[in-house]
Structures are given as C-alpha cells and as structure tokens.
Amino acid sequence: MTATPERYARSIADLTRSKKTLAGGVSSNVRLGDKPFPLFFDRGLGSHLWDVDGNEYIDYVLGRGPLLLGHTPKEVVQATVDQLWRGQIYAAQHELEYELSERVSRIIPCADLVRFGISGSEAVHGALRLARAATGRQTVLKFEGQYHGWLDNILYSLSPDPTRAGHALHPATLAESSGQFSGADSHVVVLPWNNIEVLSQYLEQHHNEIAAIITEPVMCNTAVIPPLPGYLEAMRDLCTQHGVVLIFDEVITGFRLSLAGAQGRFNIKPDLTIFGKAIANGMPISCLAGREQFMGLIAQGKVGHGGTYNSLPAAVAGAIATLDLLEKDGAAVYDTLETTGQSLMQGIRNLTAKHDIQAVIQGYGAIFYLGFPVQGANLPVGQAITDYRSSLAMDNDLYTIFVSAMVDRGVRIIPRGNWFLSSAHNQADVESTLKAIEEVFAEVIASKVTA
Ligand SMILES: Cc1ncc(COP(=O)(O)O)c(C=O)c1O
C-alpha cells in the first residue's frame, strides 16, 4: 500500500474501517486509484490541505478542478453559510437564480439561456438530449481520450486498451464500465482528436446521422492537450456546414482557462456548453448553457430537464461569490494563475534538464500536464502529445512511483499527470514544490530512467 505506513497510520485504519460499509472505501471510482492509496483528509485552507495524520500538503488536486480560488476562500464560504441559514431548499424559484443566470449569460458568449444542475455528468446528458431533439439525429461524435461524465450514453473510450481500440484514425467505441447499456454504443462514434482531415471526411459521409460533436476544447482528461492551431475553428465551421450541434464540455476548462473559459480564450462560440467545477469553487452546481435555438426547447417544455436539487440556493450563492472574486480587478486572478503556473512549469523543465530526465510538460498556467515517456519513445521535441494515441508513449508506472514519492514529501498530485493551480498558490509553494521534485528526481526517478 505504501512504503511509509507509519506516516499514514490513521488513514490506513480509516480505510480499513470504511471499506467494511462504503464500497471500496471511496465514493467515486476515480479515487480508488489515488496514490499511495486513498487518504483521509481533515481540512483545507488556501493552497494547503491536511490529512487525518496531521501531514500537510501543497494541493495540486484541488478537488480535481473546482478549487480555482483554493480551499475555503472566506467570501465563498460566508455567502454559502449565510444562504444556508435562509433555508436549504425551496423546490421553487429564488432571486439568486436569475442573478447567476444573468451573470453567466453576460460572461459566456454562447449562453443566451442557462439551466443549473448539480453535476457535470447530468448537464452533459441534457446537452446530448437537446442536440438529438433539435436535429432529429441519434448519433453523437466524441473523441478518444476525452471524458464527459459517468453516464451510460457517453462513457466510452476515455482510456481504452490499445490492443482493443482499433485503428488510430477510426477507433472502436469501447465502454469504460461493465454494465453499460449495450445499445448505447451504436450511437456513439469515436474519432481521434486534433485531426481535422479525419473529422472532415467522416462528416462528409455521415453528417445526416450526427446530432452533435462533444469535445473538451482542451483535452484536460488526457495529458492537457491544447488544440492544434485552427483545429477548433475548423470544427466550428464543419458543424455549421453540416447542421451538427457543437458542444463544448467546459467542466474543467470553464472559468479556469479564462473568465469566459476556453471558448473565451480561443474566441469560438459553440452551440451548447457545460460548466461545473470552478464555477462555484467547490459548491455542487453545474450549468448547461447555449444558444436560444436549442435551450428554447427546454424553456418550452419540449425537452425534459429536471432535478430536485437544481439551483440549490447555497450552491448558487457560492457561485455568485466565486464569480465576484473571479471578476474582481478586471479578472486579475487569471494573470496570477498564469504567472504561478508558468513559473512552476519552467522550474520543472529546468530540473528535468539538470537531472537528465525525459519529460513532457504541456498545458497552461492554470492546468498543465507532466509525464515521463517510456524508454525509447520517439516523441518530437516541443508539444509532444497531440491525441490519445500519442499519450500512450507515457510511462504510467513510473509516474505512479513519482506521485507516491511526492505525496510522501507533502505535495499532493493527481496520478493521471494533470496539475491544477489555484490563485492561492504562491511563489513559496512553487519553491517548496520544486524542492520536493528535485529530491524525488535525484533519489527515486533518475536511477529508474537510466537503469
Ligand atoms: C470534461 C468533463 N466533463 C464532465 C465531467 C463530469 O462532471 P461531474 O463529475 O461533475 O459529473 C467531468 C468530470 O471530471 C469532466 O472532466
């Protein structure tokens, strides 16, 4: 489980106890893969987190994306708590709701109309249903290596086994979970990302069947892959040309890559879009938004959208307080994020050069990727990973060793290689993180890559 059990004595006891009644000892399967094992946490403040054994961490997991402002920013907590004392749920409208929808509509260019839910997965579900209703077509096109939530109709080919995944240019549609509805896969087409020729040819022949293209505008769930120049623009044009609904899943990129998300950063208007995570800095709320032509179908009651907890007042209050902070001083928070993240990325690059360690570091200040290629992998210099298949050149076992060694040294990172930054991270965090990385490179990694 871990090479340093004494450091995690209470977490180990907690996990043993928890597993007896909580399936796997975790509440979301992704946490099963945490390294060195699923730890138990006690509290978080700013960029730091403490586990139940009293170990302190600089946190680059950040709730897997929501905590753009760091843990427990007082304005967000205060607004949430104040609202809770006014009632937990009304099962009716409240004025904060339209305050937030007006705000989102002003910030997000494609958001003529908005609906709020709880999770990103269900908002994706709503977007796909809308696209099918609007076009009368059934099939959805997604990209290999991308994740759009855990529901049956879209949980395909996130990290497919390469021996079963088929041709790189025409990948198979592979279910990620046992028990997925077996009929759903015939209505999901999987293509490689960042390849406009393949997409263009596919749509030329099959556009009459395709209701929607759903894409993460930056492929955050695999190696934080940026879109190649012109790729998203060309995708936008193809969708317009063929009457296909373009859905940007901005559950990770939303409010993170810029105030207006990736669509703002790249200046591309999708037809529908989904936000979650950073919109409320940790309070449970998601947002389905888009052009009136599509969202109007929900407004008219023609397309079903529901949920007992939708627009939970405390979560909406948390979202408004979050947006207040994100918009403050001309959205200065994004400069801080970029500066801190770039400084960390550059520091890691310097250390890989110093210790002669091959690494891929790519992405943005607010979210980036670090991975080590397998020995002998032939990757071009510069931006090395452009799609799921090129991500297979990364040595996941070595990265897992790296993650455990980092956690042992008080730096908490995600085993898949993506690093989230918050505005609460500062230069002192960067320096401490680089010190830990240098130790791990020298003591753990260097011997393995040169062996
Ligand atoms: C891009 C993307 N879409 C959708 C989801 C699903 O969101 P949720 O976990 O809130 O259901 C996630 C979750 O990580 C995601 O990364």
Side-chain angles (χ1 to χ4, degrees):
M1 183 186 262
T2 166
T4 51
E6 60 293 344
R7 178 180 157 85
Y8 304 112
R10 186 156 165 181
S11 267
I12 291 171
D14 282 349
L15 186 62
T16 307
R17 176 172 173 177
S18 178
K19 274 180 170 173
K20 291 185 181 146
T21 48
L22 188 66
V26 300
S27 293
S28 174
N29 271 19
V30 73
R31 299 176 200 165
L32 287 170
D34 278 355
K35 300 295 168 211
F37 64 95
L39 295 175
F40 283 67
F41 290 93
D42 179 44
R43 69 196 166 90
L45 185 66
S47 55
H48 288 226
L49 193 59
W50 287 262
D51 72 15
V52 290
D53 287 284
N55 300 309
E56 182 173 350
Y57 301 88
I58 304 171
D59 189 15
Y60 295 98
V61 177
L62 296 175
R64 290 185 183 263
L67 300 174
L68 189 64
L69 299 163
H71 291 270
T72 50
K74 67 176 184 318
E75 295 87 341
V76 177
V77 173
Q78 194 62 54
T80 306
V81 170
D82 287 351
Q83 181 54 44
L84 273 174
W85 282 116
R86 302 173 70 87
Q88 290 167 272
I89 188 164
Y90 309 138
Q93 293 52 253
H94 53 94
E95 293 180 348
L96 293 177
E97 215 177 21
Y98 65 74
E99 193 183 317
L100 183 58
S101 59
E102 286 170 4
R103 193 75 165 267
V104 172
S105 187
R106 173 168 58 73
I107 294 172
I108 306 297
C110 80
D112 298 340
L113 288 171
V114 167
R115 271 282 174 98
F116 299 113
I118 299 293
S119 72
S121 298
E122 55 172 315
V124 165
H125 193 62
L128 299 181
R129 182 181 282 181
L130 269 178
R132 290 191 170 108
T135 60
R137 305 171 186 168
Q138 285 298 304
T139 302
V140 168
L141 198 155
K142 81 170 290 278
F143 298 97
E144 197 169 38
Q146 299 209 355
Y147 178 64
H148 304 291
W150 70 287
L151 299 188
D152 270 10
N153 62 351
I154 199 66
L155 185 59
Y156 291 101
S157 301
L158 164 63
S159 41
D161 171 356
T163 62
R164 295 175 54 229
H167 195 283
L169 299 183
H170 308 283
T173 301
L174 291 183
E176 287 287 323
S177 167
S178 298
Q180 268 178 258
F181 174 58
S182 62
D185 58 356
S186 58
H187 290 299
V188 177
V189 168
V190 177
L191 289 185
W193 202 60
N194 256 341
N195 188 327
I196 204 64
E197 287 76 32
V198 169
L199 181 64
S200 168
Q201 278 165 17
Y202 190 87
L203 287 179
E204 199 61 52
Q205 288 167 22
H206 299 280
H207 61 268
N208 284 333
E209 299 145 35
I210 304 295
I213 293 178
I214 184 165
T215 188
E216 294 181 72
V218 169
M219 194 152 141
C220 293
N221 280 293
T222 296
V224 190
I225 304 172
L228 291 173
Y231 178 62
L232 293 176
E233 289 82 350
M235 186 188 291
R236 172 65 277 181
D237 289 346
L238 284 170
C239 285
T240 306
Q241 182 191 337
H242 293 299
V244 171
V245 178
L246 179 60
I247 304 170
F248 273 8
D249 179 348
E250 295 231 44
V251 168
I252 291 185
T253 52
F255 300 95
R256 177 168 285 280
L257 283 195
S258 81
L259 183 62
Q263 52 198 278
R265 188 162 178 145
F266 301 133
N267 194 23
I268 295 166
K269 237 171 140 175
D271 298 308
L272 290 171
T273 189
I274 296 129
F275 298 103
K277 301 204 189 242
I279 191 174
N281 207 70
M283 292 306 293
I285 187 164
S286 63
C287 170
L288 167 61
R291 291 171 51 199
E292 215 274 339
Q293 176 190 350
F294 303 106
M295 293 297 292
L297 296 171
I298 288 180
Q300 297 151 23
K302 289 183 180 153
V303 167
H305 172 256
T308 301
Y309 297 105
N310 288 359
S311 282
L312 199 74
V316 175
I320 292 170
T322 300
L323 296 186
D324 283 345
L325 292 174
L326 296 182
E327 288 200 271
K328 205 170 146 191
D329 300 332
V333 84
Y334 293 97
D335 293 335
T336 310
L337 274 164
E338 198 60 34
T339 307
T340 315
Q342 291 293 350
S343 148
L344 181 54
M345 286 164 84
Q346 191 51 47
I348 300 174
R349 282 193 191 103
N350 295 345
L351 289 176
T352 56
K354 180 172 168 190
H355 291 271
D356 203 16
I357 288 170
Q358 290 287 316
V360 172
I361 303 158
Q362 61 183 31
Y364 304 86
I367 177 170
F368 67 83
Y369 170 82
L370 168 66
F372 309 116
V374 286
Q375 300 253 11
N378 190 15
L379 287 167
V381 180
Q383 189 205 304
I385 305 178
T386 53
D387 59 11
Y388 175 71
R389 300 293 169 113
S390 46
S391 81
L392 296 172
M394 295 295 113
D395 188 337
N396 295 334
D397 293 339
L398 184 60
Y399 198 75
T400 296
I401 293 168
F402 174 75
V403 174
S404 293
M406 289 296 288
V407 174
D408 280 351
R409 286 162 180 77
V411 179
R412 185 173 178 242
I413 52 178
I414 294 175
R416 278 182 76 85
N418 39 347
W419 292 53
F420 286 102
L421 268 287
S422 80
S423 60
H425 286 81
N426 57 26
Q427 205 50 38
D429 292 324
V430 170
E431 298 306 327
S432 305
T433 304
L434 292 174
K435 193 163 163 282
I437 293 177
E438 173 136 46
E439 241 178 73
V440 175
F441 277 1
E443 292 170 20
V444 186
I445 302 298
S447 62
K448 298 201 183 308
V449 292
T450 52

